[in-house]
Structure formats: C-alpha cells, structure tokens
Amino acid sequence: MPDNRSEAVKSTNSPTSNPTLLAWVDEMAKLTKPDRIVWCDGSEEEKQRLTKEAVDKGILIPLNSEKRPGCYLHRSDPNDVARTEHLTFVCTRAKEAAGPNNNWMDPKEGYAKLGKLFDGSMKGRTMYVIPYLMGPAGSPFSKVGIEITDSVYVVLNMQLMTRMGRIALAALGDSSNDFNRGLHCTLDLDPEKRFICHFPEDNTIWSIGSGYGGNALLGKKCLALRIASFLGREEGWLAEHMLILGAEDPQGKKHYVVAAFPSACGKTNFAMMVPPARFKGWKITTMGDDIAWLRIGKDGRLWAVNPENGYFGVAPGTNTKTNPNAMASIAHNAIFTNVAMTKDGDVWWEGKDGEPPTELTDWRGQPWTPAAKTPAAHPNSRFTAPMRNNPILSEHADDPQGVPISAIIFGGRRATTVPLVMQSFNWAHGVYLGATMGSETTAAAAGQVGLVRRDPMAMLPFCGYDMGDYFGHWLKIQHRLADPPPIFLVNWFRKSPEGKFLWPGYGENMRVLAWILARAQGTAGAGETPLGWVPRAGDLDVTGLDLTPEQVRQATAIDLTEWGSELESQGELFTKLERTLPPTIRLERELLMARLRN
Ligand code: SAT
Ligand code: MN
C-alpha cells in the first residue's frame, strides 16, 4: 500500500497499524495542522508526564498532597462551565431523523462550517489521539471511540472516565473500521464559535470551542448517549441517562435497578446511597452513576452495563452525610473543576462538611469570604474520580454481561404534583410516565435554573434521534422481554406550601427503594389511584424517620386537581412530537384524562 500519510503523522510513533484509523488521524492532522501528535497509551507514566505538563502550564493546580494526594484543581474559562444545549446539534441527512427535540444541521453544512473553524486550529499546539473503550474490556457490547483533542485537561479526564489507551486499541484490532471518530478543539473558547455536532450516520462527533465536561469529554454524553441511542435504535437496545445500583437484602438476595434523573438531580447520591440504621444488613453497590446501556439477554431479561470508568459528579452539596462514598471516591487521584480552594490547598464548595472557611480562593481564582454575594464554588463545579476509588463499587463493574435489572425508576425534580413514589400499571403506562416526566432545570446546562420543563426519561438533551420514535422504541422493547421489569416514578424534591422539602432524601431513599424492590417481587402492598399504584400508610417503612404521619402523607399524596393541570400541560410536548408520537402514548394520556374527569 502506498504510504501517503503526512509528515506530521509519520513523525509520531503510532501504536497501531489499523489503516482506517491511521488514515483518519492523518486527515484530521492535515485539517487541524498541529505541531505535534501524541498517541495516548493510558499508562501511569503518561499520566504523570501529562499532569506535570498541565501543572507547568497552569492548567492544573496541585492540591495539598497530604489532604488530597494525587488531586488537582482546574479553573475553566468563566464562559465555559456547563453544557450548552443550544449549541449542540444532531446532523442527520434528513432533518426529521433528528426530530423536534434536537437542533439540526445538514451534515454537509456541519462539516463545512466546523471544518473552517478546525482548519489550522491546532497550529502551535499538540494533537492528542485518545483511543478509549466505553464498556468493559471483552464485552460484546462495548464501543471503541477515538478522540482527537488539543486539550491536556480532556486527556487526563478521559483517562479517569474511560478505559483508555492500549486497551482500546487492542479492542479495535488492526482491521476494524468500527470506531467513533471524535474531533475536539478548544479553540479560543469563544461561545460564538462553539458547536457540538453529532453525525450519527457516520459515527462521528465534532466539538469545538468548549473544554467543559459534557461538551468535550466525547465518550460521555456525545458517544455513550446521543450516538449510542441512535445506534441502539438500529441495533435493538437502549442507551439511557441512568444510574445502575445493586441492592442486597439481609438474606443475601441481590437485585439491580436503573434510575433516570436529569443532570444534577442526585443520580450519584442515589447510586452510592448508605442505608439508614433501620435497614441494617442491607448492602448497596454502585454499578454506574450516569449512563446505562440496556440490552435484552438470551434469558429475556433486561441487562445493564455501565459504559464509563469514572464519575463526573456535581461537587456542591456533596459531604460525608449526603454521600460518604463520593467523599471517599474523591479523597485521592481526582480532578476538581471550578471548586473553591482553601488556604492549605484543599477543596471547598457550598454544602461541604462544616462551616465555610473564613478565607477561600473562589472558582475564578479570586479571594472569597463568607460575606461574599457569589458562591465560592460554581454551582456546576465537578469532580472527576476513578470508579475504582468507590468503596461500594459493584463486583460486576467490569462484567462483560452487566447485571440483570429488576426495576426501572424515572424521577425529576418537582416541587409539586409528583408523589414520592408511584408504580405504573404496566410497561406502556411506565413508558408514558417516563416520557412525560417533568423536571426543574439545573446548573448542569447553561440557561435559567428552576424552570419546569418536560425532560422525557431525562434524555431531552441526550436523545440522538426523534423523541417520538424513541418512545416507540421503548414500547417495542417490551415484546422481547419475557417478564418486563416494573416501572416507577419517584420525586425526592416535593415541597410543603411553606417551601420546605417534604422528604429527607439521600440515605432515606432506601425506604422507597425497599418498597420498589418488594413490589418487583410481589411482596409489598399498594393502593390503586387513577394514576398508578402508590404505597398506602404502612406499606412504606417509615420507622425511625423524623417525620410526622402528616408529612409522610403530604410527600406521598396524589392531588387529582394538580394532576389535571399536569396532564393538560403535557399537551405541549405531545404537540411538539405530533408527527411521530406513538398512538399508545397518546391513548395513555387520554385514558388518564378520562379517568380524572369521571
Ligand atoms: O457535563 S455532563 O454532561 O457530563 C454532566 C451532566 O450534565 O450530566
Ligand atoms: Mn448526566
């Protein structure tokens, strides 16, 4: 074969002979024109070398090596602190394929527009080639991605978040062309030149102008959710914005559940939950805290794999009471982004243990005192931690088959209407509950915080194709399930008329989980309402909880007037998705409305 690779590529020691990969890297190098190309191997030596480089350039700040060994702080550009949904595009040949839930760009236009921005974008810079694997090594379900980036921060985060380097090249092999082609460049971080474009028909992602997590760590939301959901529809599986946890009861019986909550609504806390004293003998284990790939096993059960290898969690509110396992996970070898720093080089954020220190350096690098009007840590400040730091990591985290799922949970952040927990009547009704889920917006995405929006299955920002078709795909999955897991809706965030949370949340959510698991096994009672099954007084174990019966009633109540308005307001989503909304979903709503009118 003639060697037509450019000088730039020839000058590096590419650790693969895969011709498709080499040709693509070469093409991207010709476009972006870096000074150097570095292939990442995922080794400890490489991590040390790149960390030192990042420290020398001021990209990472070393933290106190006794209090936080191996930990670093990164301060991002203040313009670049969250996902930017309005700059995120799905570029399919037909506009309809992307659906009204996505911003759409013609692929030709996308490549041309971003191509201009990428042209020469790495001049004077190093181009890192990151081979990575989403999912355990040796799993038939895992996917290989290659991310090309000019950001050493991205490399070091990908090293924590994915199985990165040689392991991924080995999975790809020397001849396969089945890999995601991710191109990323921070450019000048100008929001006017920021685009996160997905080309699902080419298994390609081009992201420019942002260094922030979900925009720049391409394995996460871009590949493992947007592209994977698209592939999942073609291949008959589901890529979901879900945590996966294991629960072992005192008799040693183990069950796994998946739960979808929007960004910054407590997935990490639920996945690492510590059961309260009342639940002595129960053991929770974490499979994953953000993404689940769900497939139907030969046994007709639903099986879940976590494609990730680390946690990219929200820092504010994390402390030894709300999430001791997260605190242990970030005790060493973690990267912190946009948190505050103490005088002795430790980290701090709003809602960490204890009183705020009297003096801090805030997330922008400015002096801060408790009298300040702005928070010390950015509300969307994050930690990146290896999942292997988690003391309750599931023994199945690397299992190529994943774990079988006993129940599916959907949940949003709702001050009103949605009760603590409700079980659907059946699969189609459960899909409906997920599809019409509402949640208040959080700081995880740029824009106003606290507005209720429909966030179907917590996938509104992450579904890589038409949302109506996505509901249809969910409905069809039932046909291949021997015994579909029951589906539940939960809400930890309901408030009293005085604006106080009605439910303590965190570890106490174990009480709700125990009811869910008992329902899945047919061993707990429930009361029927026009909207679904709910625990009656006595069904939910509230022993030892510091709540009055009236508070429990308020947290679990279904107010038919509120639900009348809720069903009414769902009409907006239905109008938006009119073209592809499955009749079953429309009928579910009509049925509920008719029942409420009776
Ligand atoms: O920035 S991420 O998209 O990775 C985190 C989140 O918003 O869920
Ligand atoms: Mn997420």
Side-chain angles (χ1 to χ4, degrees), residues 248-251 274-283 510 541:
E248 185 178 330
D249 69 18
Q251 288 73 46
V274 178
R278 169 76 182 161
F279 288 78
K280 196 163 172 277
W282 281 79
K283 219 175 110 193
M510 182 66 222
D541 186 344

Side-chain angles (χ1 to χ4, degrees), residues 220-221 241 263 267 290 462:
K220 197 173 176 56
K221 303 298 159 104
H241 194 202
S263 302
K267 280 194 297 302
D290 196 40
F462 307 121

